[in-house]
Amino acid sequence: NAKENQTLDSQQSHDAINLSKKVIQDLQTEAMGLRMQSLEGLFQRLDRVARDVARSQHKPLEIILRGSDVELDKTVIEHMKDPLIHIIRNAVDHGLEAPDERQAKQKGNKGSILIEGRQNAANVIIRIEDNGRGLDPERIKRKAIEKGLIPKGASLSQSEIFRLIFLPGFSTAEKITDVSGRGVGMDVVNKAVEELNGTIEIDSKVSEGTCFEITLPSTLSILDAIIIRLGQLNYAIPVQDVTEVVDLSAIPIETTSQKGRVLNLRGHILPVEKLAEYLPEKVKSSTDLSHSHSQASVALITTVHKLSVAFEVDAIVGQQSIVVRKLDGKLADVPGFSGGTILPNGEPSMILHLARFVKSYLSQVA
């Protein structure tokens, strides 16, 4: 029929195209499966490191492993191996108390560390939790003021105080051991997570323990992405970075003296920012963003460290799977760009890292 009519608009052609799409998708799934590895090997390595440090310091230790059958891209596992070992060594060395100190606190002689892996729709979450002495927010804040990292009268939330330990060289350890003090090198951990487009969150209570929760993309090579338009260019944003998409024409935006533009989403007040304003200066200056300064109708909501921000965009073009290409040269150092891709129409597109823009917003309002 296609030959006779000189057209592909026939049922046979549609069936053949749909079949080829299914075969290609199956092939892609099988190929991606070859890159996936369970967390078992990584968790066993972390288990050995924790036991070796505990043995050298004469600290009785119980280790709980959960979710070691969860699978993750082998490149991600390799990239995170050393940072996770650093967290584990610090957890045993400076997180867990000595037996006599634990007994004085009536906490029991044996310390424990939980290493857990969980899978959700697009990410893998690795959680490391100890039942040690925890992080003291007042002590962290005091050290940060002493080092001139924050002003003396700074008003910070507990979450913001905990994130100070990710600053280069920051430490609250009274003495530095051969294992290193809690806080030393945590900037390396944070950088490694950001390079993978992941996030890391800290929860801690004094004398109860500390929990690090690291969210990582399941794979680095292919991502489901939302394609958005800013000005005359299209950009890709990983689906896992977006909590929700809202229609701004249905939700009024209000302006306040303290927080600027905000919207009320089901009782939660969220700041509203133009995503175009957070693009690197060179990109903004070389791109026609005149349309981005008009009233946008769509916003992408992203949540980082329990703070949600609504970023206005000109339009949502669509959603599709993209092949991530690593940035080289000067592009690799551009903040906010986590990679590049080629869209189906042949147009090159940059992949935006919304978590970086949330941090830029936080630095502006701090």
Side-chain angles (χ1 to χ4, degrees), residues 230 233 235 275-289 329-337 350 352 357:
L230 291 175
L233 295 180
Y235 295 90
L275 183 56
E277 296 295 333
Y278 287 81
L279 293 178
E281 287 300 325
K282 289 184 179 179
V283 178
K284 283 198 288 186
S285 62
S286 61
T287 306
D288 178 15
L289 292 174
K330 292 183 178 180
L331 281 175
D333 299 323
V334 177
F337 288 172
M350 304 302 289
L352 301 181
F357 300 144

Side-chain angles (χ1 to χ4, degrees), residues 342-355:
I342 303 296
L343 300 178
N345 62 1
E347 175 187 337
S349 174
M350 304 302 289
I351 302 171
L352 301 181
H353 190 196
L354 287 186

